Amino acid sequence: MTVTAIVGAQWGDEGKGRIVDALAEQMEWVIRFQGGDNAGHTVINDHGEFKLHLIPSGIFHPGVKCLVGTGCVVNPAVLLEELEALEAAGVNTANLFVSERAHMVMPYHRLLDGLQEVASGKSAIGTTKRGIGPAYSDKGARRGLRLGDLLRPDWLEARLDQAIEFANRELVHFQQTPVDPAQLLDQCRTWGEQLAARLVDPLPLIRQAYEQGANILLEGQLAAMRDLDWGTYPYVTSSNPTATFAPVGAGLPPQAVKRVIGVVKAYTTAVGAGPMPTDQGDNQTAKWLREKGQEYGATTGRPRRCGWFDAVALNYVAYLNGFTDLAITKLDVLDGLPELKICTGYRLGDGSIIQHVPDTPVYETVEPVYESWPGWPKNSTAAARTWADLPEAAQNYLNRIEELAGVSIRYISVGPKRDEMFTK
Ligand code: GDP
Ligand code: IMO
Ligand code: MG
């Protein structure tokens, strides 16, 4: 009986959704603790294939309660669409709750995200254009609208006036049509009616579950290398995907979290701009990983940047998150490669080698230092269901990753489906 956080250990898209789906069965609650519909969490199971943007990946287990937590930012239109799509696929969503304290992503946030990116020209971040940055900015500036506001008409109207005044100043600056407050108020009333039954003050529920010793899973969005404070700023998201934030976003005390599982791909990918030292650009390795791993964004469809495994970044992230276990995904994508590389250090301009992640202006200049490991070109890991089934070269590769990370590997995934995974 414990609280477990599942977080991304690289630059996102590590396979968090599939790990949460596989582990959710033993849980009473699954809680998304930050981020918004910038997430694309793929889950493939008996119900079909889903790319979840807001709804926790535990939704497929009828006995599990799911919460979109207080630390999230929620576009009500996207949430309603996602609910509809799940229901249409025969998934029961009766157990999906949403924190009334979570902030809303409004239509003008999306618009502004896109406009700000275009205006940034060459220094654009490469956001998902889902309005995440503008929504969290409004939250920080204390002019944000929260889902609970939808249920309190007078309060909503006053808060909306204040928020729109600012949004319109921005929109006018970008020569856009200002938001019509009456129209948006109407839209909010409709959302309120559609979501009322799911909006809860989560604290009494979560507190009771925690105090009764329930199993609770905290699902992270994105990953530590895009953390607002410790990622590759400014090429980051506008929330904290690290496990330290998980209890805040979920409504738990810090000591509640007993296990932190870092989800890590057997190689590295990223979408969006900013440093990624092991990026292989468009060379043969990158092409292999992108095609075999189907590395195209689940939310935006953008081709992902691909490269070798970065153990320096993993060690940094393991410390920051306090990983107790690693879940390695997509090992099968490396089947067929004769040689693998692991980045074990970063070379600076003066020739010295460091073993930590420096701040972005320096990080942009580092050269990866690699060690080479033999692949298993004649074997496959895809059918493996135990550690002993893996080719020896794959075991050696994983053992080395474990050693460099300083954290034990507990789960190994060799395919996208629920059962294509085993424990070490
Ligand atoms: P998330 O955002 O961390 O949940 O990850 P994404 O869903 O964006 O990206 C992971 C992709 O890899 C999805 O298309 C998954 O279906 C797929 N996937 C996950 N685990 C494995 C695996 O072990 N092997 C293979 N081949 N694909 C996997
Ligand atoms: P999941 O949860 C991969 C990236 C964007 C951009 C930066 C900021 O599926 O792993 P944002 O829209 O958050 O303001 O964009 O973060 N990014 C993701 N990359 N997977 C995601 O989600 C991402 N969510 C945001 O590409 O670089
Ligand atoms: Mg994803």
Side-chain angles (χ1 to χ4, degrees):
M1 297 294 168
T2 191
V3 178
T4 304
I6 293 193
V7 298
Q10 292 163 313
W11 277 260
D13 302 326
E14 297 88 351
K16 299 173 289 293
R18 66 98 62 242
I19 300 289
V20 172
D21 174 59
L23 301 187
E25 194 161 20
Q26 308 133 26
M27 301 293 152
E28 192 167 311
W29 281 94
V30 176
I31 308 175
R32 257 287 297 274
F33 63 83
Q34 46 69 236
D37 63 298
N38 47 350
H41 293 182
T42 312
V43 175
I44 305 176
N45 56 30
D46 293 345
H47 294 278
E49 174 165 352
F50 302 87
K51 306 224 175 264
L52 298 171
H53 300 295
L54 282 166
I55 295 177
S57 306
I59 194 69
F60 304 97
H61 300 273
V64 177
K65 285 173 275 200
C66 289
L67 175 72
V68 180
T70 298
C72 296
V73 289
V74 178
N75 182 329
V78 174
L79 178 62
L80 287 161
E81 260 171 46
E82 201 162 294
L83 280 165
E84 208 173 298
L86 285 170
E87 290 281 351
V91 180
N92 183 346
T93 65
N95 275 335
L96 188 268
F97 302 93
V98 184
S99 170
E100 62 177 11
R101 293 181 196 227
H103 278 246
M104 281 194 282
V105 177
M106 303 301 272
Y108 51 80
H109 287 138
R110 261 205 190 199
L111 206 55
L112 288 169
D113 194 353
L115 292 164
Q116 285 163 3
E117 280 284 275
V118 172
S120 298
K122 276 195 186 147
S123 24
I125 290 159
T127 73
T128 58
K129 298 189 181 163
R130 297 300 177 108
I132 307 302
Y136 275 114
S137 301
D138 276 0
K139 174 180 176 178
R142 293 157 296 181
R143 60 175 164 258
L145 291 152
R146 299 185 299 167
L147 283 151
D149 300 349
L150 295 174
L151 307 179
R152 297 164 190 128
D154 293 344
W155 174 268
L156 173 68
E157 207 171 330
R159 298 285 307 158
L160 202 56
D161 278 349
Q162 192 194 345
I164 288 180
E165 194 196 323
F166 182 83
N168 279 348
R169 253 185 277 150
E170 294 274 289
L171 289 170
V172 168
H173 165 79
F174 286 113
Q175 291 159 357
Q176 300 292 309
T177 316
V179 177
D180 173 3
Q183 210 179 351
L184 192 52
L185 189 60
D186 261 5
Q187 174 66 80
C188 285
R189 287 194 182 118
T190 310
W191 283 334
E193 284 158 21
Q194 290 167 307
L195 290 172
R198 300 184 188 272
L199 296 181
V200 292
D201 176 355
L203 216 64
L205 299 171
I206 301 306
R207 182 172 180 174
Q208 189 186 36
Y210 172 58
E211 288 177 347
Q212 289 177 352
N215 278 332
I216 302 175
L217 198 63
L218 309 179
E219 177 178 358
Q221 185 267 332
L222 193 48
M225 292 304 288
R226 297 273 194 213
D227 181 270
L228 181 57
D229 289 276
W230 293 104
T232 54
Y233 191 90
Y235 305 103
V236 293
T237 194
S238 299
S239 66
N240 295 101
T242 42
T244 322
F245 184 77
V248 179
L252 287 161
Q255 71 273 26
V257 183
K258 294 289 184 290
R259 285 181 74 198
V260 182
I261 301 173
V263 186
V264 61
K265 250 179 227 187
Y267 49 96
T268 309
T269 67
V271 251
M276 170 189 152
T278 64
D279 190 348
Q280 294 300 296
D282 233 1
N283 73 10
Q284 283 306 105
T285 305
K287 283 185 182 141
W288 169 285
L289 295 172
R290 191 171 302 122
E291 290 320 307
K292 186 129 190 265
Q294 278 304 293
E295 296 298 351
Y296 296 91
T299 296
T300 59
R302 288 179 288 177
R304 294 174 182 147
R305 298 159 67 191
C306 295
W308 296 119
F309 193 89
D310 188 334
V312 183
L314 179 61
N315 184 280
Y316 170 80
V317 164
Y319 163 74
L320 269 177
N321 284 276
F323 288 156
T324 56
D325 311 84
L326 293 178
I328 298 263
T329 62
K330 305 191 91 160
L331 185 64
D332 56 300
V333 175
L334 302 181
D335 291 355
L337 284 172
E339 185 199 14
L340 305 172
K341 289 185 184 172
I342 300 179
C343 170
T344 56
Y346 298 140
R347 186 173 287 111
L348 299 177
D350 65 3
S352 61
I353 292 172
I354 57 170
Q355 250 96 28
H356 67 273
V357 175
D359 198 8
T360 307
V362 178
Y363 204 30
E364 277 178 341
T365 69
V366 304
E367 286 295 327
V369 177
Y370 289 116
E371 54 180 45
S372 277
W373 284 80
W376 46 95
K378 297 199 168 66
N379 294 306
S380 162
T381 62
R385 291 296 174 270
T386 66
W387 175 256
D389 292 341
L390 291 176
E392 197 184 337
Q395 293 179 346
N396 292 339
Y397 180 69
L398 295 181
N399 283 335
R400 182 62 177 144
I401 287 175
E402 208 171 48
E403 187 176 58
L404 290 164
V407 185
S408 309
I409 294 172
R410 175 143 173 87
Y411 303 99
I412 298 168
S413 164
V414 291
K417 298 195 187 121
R418 196 182 265 176
D419 60 353
E420 290 174 325
M421 182 177 134
F422 54 91
T423 49
K424 188 178 170 194

